[in-house]
Amino acid sequence: MKKFIFGVALVVLFSCNMYFAQTEQPAIIEDFKPSTLNQPGQQYPQVNSQGYARFKIIAPKAQSVKVSLGLGGRGGTALTRAADSSWVGTTAGPLDKGFHYYHLNIDGGTFNDPGTLNFYGSIRWESGIEIPAPDQDFYALKDVPHGKVQQILFPSKSTNTSRRAFVYTPADYDKDQSKRYAVLYLQHGWGEDETAWSTQGHSNLIMDNLIAEGKIKPFIIVMTYGMTNDVRIGGMANFKIEPFQTVLVNELIPYVDANFRTLPDQPHRAMAGLSMGGMETKTITMANLDKFSHICLLSGGTFSLDDVNKTPGFKEKVKLAFVSFGSRELGGNRGFGGGDPKANAESLKQAGLNSVFYVSPETAHEFLSWRRALKELAPLLFKD
Amino acid sequence: MKKFIFGVALVVLFSCNMYFAQTEQPAIIEDFKPSTLNQPGQQYPQVNSQGYARFKIIAPKAQSVKVSLGLGGRGGTALTRAADSSWVGTTAGPLDKGFHYYHLNIDGGTFNDPGTLNFYGSIRWESGIEIPAPDQDFYALKDVPHGKVQQILFPSKSTNTSRRAFVYTPADYDKDQSKRYAVLYLQHGWGEDETAWSTQGHSNLIMDNLIAEGKIKPFIIVMTYGMTNDVRIGGMANFKIEPFQTVLVNELIPYVDANFRTLPDQPHRAMAGLSMGGMETKTITMANLDKFSHICLLSGGTFSLDDVNKTPGFKEKVKLAFVSFGSRELGGNRGFGGGDPKANAESLKQAGLNSVFYVSPETAHEFLSWRRALKELAPLLFKD
């Protein structure tokens, strides 16, 4: 019975994300604009061209308003009361590019910023803010043919309910009714759920754009709930992989193969996951190498030569072993458990495996690392 | 150029929903359970078997915490500080059965209850609570074949972007690739968006259950954003139907007919909408009777004999004129503009039209009225 002790270590170690791109802060340029993740018509929070975030909260009689975002684990950004009795404040430095979850602390309670859309992370719906990245074009909504993201409810006898998954089908899926597609099973991280990859992850837009540019052969993506949050905070040591493995391998995959035009064999089935989802991916695929040929761990563990050697059939059956991290996750004693991830990847390559290691520049344990990883791994899938 | 003066009147008149089923309150039965719309693991808000709602908010240093729900427009429910410095309170009476939007007022600011899921209403993501209804079985998640809810992004030249819609396809859609389906275009109300009908509306589950019971022939439902909120509060008088009509009729319908296996003709195309969406439905269908055969207004206006007489082709082309309200919306001077809705419906029937009038028992201008209306109207669509 496997327990995710390592997973707990990762969550703890990565909880101090480094939000600031640098420590010497430049003068703030006053070109703030509403974040692209604001609710319709909401002017705050705002982001400037340097990546500073500015918040404005209406709570006239509050005694303190703080934003969890801003000081890299050192208490966030305290807002101050303005003349109009709103609360305002700007982060002490630029935030990393990409997507950040956050929340407010108002008089000692945890609430969301009413200005923003909500995203499921930390086993709650959190506020979200987006700092424009130089390469944001690859996940932008563009005038290209768009695939669909479908909510399915699949029967699950093992959990005695109908479970939800989201399925991305590429734009050409409905054009040629004889065409069949390979499938990537794509998992979220701890505290998140099956909504993560198609909302904050933009998996559908990343695929639409890669397909429109001719960079990948279209495939299907299936995103479901990894059941990582059923145990509460602090209980991850008791997390067991078996219930989710049963749902995924025995229930979801047969349902998808029966209800979508898939290529239902090992060469055309991949699994990827971020953080805890990477742990799940590694455990489930290595126990089911007859079902998965392409395995991708995003900020969620590595493959060592020892993993390969003690897993019968790994060399023959695994067509891609992809490992990625954000650059800010690397270096120092980051507790990767299985050894240095880059050295590991290199050792697999030396052993003749299709081992790919990718580092997302200047990002931490956050979604820009994983959007980029999806963009990098997609062209490597299902090559033969 | 049509302006929705009537729509504004409706919004104002209906803003004082009657939440209480009765005025003499019974003793509170202490069988409170977490609302089914709570975030995972959250114990509050809770609902008891009588329909009382109890709230608990953590905000130790707050000076006042109020819930917008509870006193029918008279200020909501004020919470009081408990011994553990949380804020707790119970509504002064039972709430109407079904779904209610609400929010908190904390020290003068508007925030969501961190215990609940969020639902788009009032042009913001609001907290939601569900009071179990005696007939809740018809929108329950059951062990029946489930259709899919698909997010599509369709090109819109008139608005120069890709627009989002959700498309429900019934469970058998992927089984028989030669089968084609009729389509219902189903609109949300003012302050809501294209997510409303498949989340708080449970349109997919209502359809799954009706189909499983053999009560309807499967059809497709398309739900998109009615553009009603682009003008801010108070600006609805400037709302123009033309931009949305262009998107719906010239862009979305052709896209759906090209990308789904529809029966792309007038006899197999219906439109329904709630509140503002009912106004939109009436205006757009009556200007496009060559495209729509079944028209349904849910708490959103009525058809008078005058409407019929001054609209060439109405009698021949309209196969169903369905009008519904919640019982608490009727009676008194409720400003229905076009006259008494029941008398109107009767006059159409006398004139030989297939006119159906439905009243949802003991509900107001809220989603249980509209879930029930969908259940009532679905079996009446596409009969020939």
Side-chain angles (χ1 to χ4, degrees), chain A residues 178-190:
Chain A
S178 66
K179 193 173 169 186
R180 303 186 79 87
Y181 295 80
V183 183
L184 166 65
Y185 289 83
L186 184 60
Q187 290 305 126
H188 59 83
W190 180 86

Side-chain angles (χ1 to χ4, degrees), chain A residues 91-343:
Chain A
T91 52
L95 305 179
D96 275 352
K97 312 300 184 199
F99 174 82
H100 307 282
Y101 297 105
Y102 74 99
H103 54 259
L104 308 177
N105 183 304
I106 299 173
D107 289 346
T110 298
F111 300 95
N112 284 348
D113 186 336
T116 78
L117 299 174
N118 301 305
F119 304 86
Y120 198 70
S122 310
I123 54 171
R124 63 182 298 273
W125 287 89
E126 290 257 288
S127 299
I129 192 169
E130 183 80 31
I131 312 296
D135 55 346
Q136 63 184 338
D137 193 58
F138 81 84
Y139 52 85
L141 176 66
K142 293 197 261 189
D143 186 18
V144 299
H146 292 291
K148 298 170 184 168
V149 176
Q150 320 193 18
Q151 174 190 290
I152 61 169
L153 296 167
F154 64 97
S156 165
K157 280 193 180 159
S158 71
T159 59
N160 197 28
T161 186
S162 292
R163 305 187 66 85
R164 185 168 73 164
F166 292 98
V167 179
Y168 169 83
T169 53
D172 68 355
Y173 183 84
D174 296 298
K175 301 294 180 192
D176 177 0
Q177 298 289 340
S178 66
K179 193 173 169 186
R180 303 186 79 87
Y181 295 80
V183 183
L184 166 65
Y185 289 83
L186 184 60
Q187 290 305 126
H188 59 83
W190 180 86
E192 297 170 338
D193 70 6
E194 67 272 25
T195 61
W197 267 110
S198 58
T199 49
Q200 53 267 47
H202 296 318
S203 56
N204 56 327
L205 300 179
I206 293 169
M207 291 291 289
D208 290 343
N209 292 335
L210 286 171
I211 293 168
E213 291 166 18
K215 290 187 177 162
I216 61 169
K217 234 167 48 175
F219 56 84
I220 290 170
I221 300 182
V222 178
M223 299 156 278
T224 198
Y225 176 51
M227 302 167 68
T228 51
N229 312 331
D230 290 354
V231 286
R232 312 304 298 168
I233 293 176
M236 282 311 287
N238 293 319
F239 179 79
K240 297 176 192 69
I241 193 68
E242 287 81 1
F244 176 55
Q245 182 170 289
T246 300
V247 166
L248 181 75
V249 175
N250 301 351
E251 297 172 345
L252 179 56
I253 290 178
Y255 182 89
V256 168
D257 285 339
N259 287 277
F260 292 85
R261 298 196 317 279
T262 64
L263 292 161
D265 54 11
Q266 190 262 6
H268 298 98
R269 193 178 297 119
M271 187 170 179
L274 71 89
S275 195
M276 271 303 300
M279 313 292 174
E280 295 184 319
T281 297
K282 183 176 174 178
T283 308
I284 291 174
T285 55
M286 286 176 73
N288 293 276
L289 288 181
D290 57 324
K291 296 195 171 61
F292 299 96
S293 52
H294 297 69
I295 313 175
C296 309
L297 315 181
L298 320 183
S299 308
T302 78
F303 286 111
S304 69
L305 209 48
D306 192 44
D307 289 327
V308 174
N309 290 333
K310 72 182 181 196
T311 309
F314 193 105
K315 278 192 187 174
E316 298 72 34
K317 293 176 179 168
V318 176
K319 301 304 176 195
L320 173 69
F322 179 97
V323 169
S324 71
F325 285 93
S327 67
R328 299 198 199 289
E329 299 182 90
L330 299 173
N333 180 13
R334 280 299 201 136
F336 286 112
D340 176 63
K342 188 177 179 182

Side-chain angles (χ1 to χ4, degrees), chain A residues 39-42 57-64 104 106-114 116-118 120 123-126 141-144 146-155 161-163 166 169 171 173-175 177 198 204-205 208 232 255 258-261, chain B residues 39-42 57-64 104 106-114 116-118 120 123-126 141-144 146-155 161-163 166 169 171 173-175 177 198 204-205 208 232 255 258-261:
Chain A
Q39 293 193 30
Q42 295 297 316
I57 302 296
I58 310 295
K61 292 176 193 159
Q63 296 180 54
S64 80
L104 308 177
I106 299 173
D107 289 346
T110 298
F111 300 95
N112 284 348
D113 186 336
T116 78
L117 299 174
N118 301 305
Y120 198 70
I123 54 171
R124 63 182 298 273
W125 287 89
E126 290 257 288
L141 176 66
K142 293 197 261 189
D143 186 18
V144 299
H146 292 291
K148 298 170 184 168
V149 176
Q150 320 193 18
Q151 174 190 290
I152 61 169
L153 296 167
F154 64 97
T161 186
S162 292
R163 305 187 66 85
F166 292 98
T169 53
Y173 183 84
D174 296 298
K175 301 294 180 192
Q177 298 289 340
S198 58
N204 56 327
L205 300 179
D208 290 343
R232 312 304 298 168
Y255 182 89
N259 287 277
F260 292 85
R261 298 196 317 279
Chain B
Q39 293 194 28
Q42 295 296 317
I57 302 295
I58 310 294
K61 293 176 191 158
Q63 297 180 53
S64 79
L104 308 177
I106 299 172
D107 289 347
T110 298
F111 300 95
N112 283 348
D113 186 335
T116 77
L117 299 173
N118 301 304
Y120 199 70
I123 55 172
R124 64 182 298 273
W125 287 88
E126 289 256 288
L141 176 65
K142 292 196 259 190
D143 187 19
V144 298
H146 292 291
K148 298 170 184 167
V149 177
Q150 321 193 17
Q151 173 190 290
I152 60 168
L153 296 167
F154 63 99
T161 187
S162 293
R163 304 188 67 85
F166 292 99
T169 53
Y173 183 84
D174 297 298
K175 301 293 180 194
Q177 297 290 339
S198 58
N204 55 326
L205 300 178
D208 290 345
R232 313 305 299 168
Y255 182 89
N259 287 276
F260 292 85
R261 296 195 318 277

